[in-house]
Amino acid sequence: MAVNLHEPRRLSEREAAAYLGVVTVRTMQDWRTKGVGPAYSKLGRRVCYAIEDLDAFVALTRVEPKATAAQVAVAEG
């Protein structure tokens, strides 16, 4: 069986939680049952995550501050 090196690497549930760094495997499971969190694939019983999907999820949760640090310093100033 030939391996396609151009396919994105899929991470296990545990690897995905570690990749995100701030969540547990249990949190990943809770997100799936609630229909939130990063996109995932199911291969049989196995749940796996594409790194691109994890990065996209993190990008979606990004919060832009309303003021820059320089603006805050001037306002406090």
Side-chain angles (χ1 to χ4, degrees), residues 1-17:
M1 175 188 223
V3 175
N4 185 348
L5 299 178
H6 299 291
E7 285 293 317
R9 182 169 183 271
R10 305 284 179 190
L11 300 181
S12 70
E13 186 177 55
R14 183 176 310 239
E15 291 170 324

Side-chain angles (χ1 to χ4, degrees), residues 1 4 6 8 11-13 16 22-23 32-34 37 41-42 44 50-51 53 58-59 62 65 67 76:
M1 175 188 223
N4 185 348
H6 299 291
L11 300 181
S12 70
E13 186 177 55
V22 294
V23 299
R32 284 198 312 275
T33 60
K34 293 175 182 174
S41 299
K42 285 204 69 167
I51 291 173
D53 290 334
V58 169
R62 183 177 175 192
E76 291 176 350

Side-chain angles (χ1 to χ4, degrees), residues 7-57:
E7 285 293 317
R9 182 169 183 271
R10 305 284 179 190
L11 300 181
S12 70
E13 186 177 55
R14 183 176 310 239
E15 291 170 324
Y19 182 83
L20 292 176
V22 294
V23 299
T24 64
V25 170
R26 183 69 189 140
T27 297
M28 303 287 284
Q29 293 167 347
D30 287 342
W31 285 347
R32 284 198 312 275
T33 60
K34 293 175 182 174
V36 298
Y40 62 95
S41 299
K42 285 204 69 167
L43 304 172
R45 291 183 176 180
R46 183 173 178 252
V47 173
C48 57
Y49 296 85
I51 291 173
E52 295 80 15
D53 290 334
L54 296 173
D55 290 339
F57 173 72

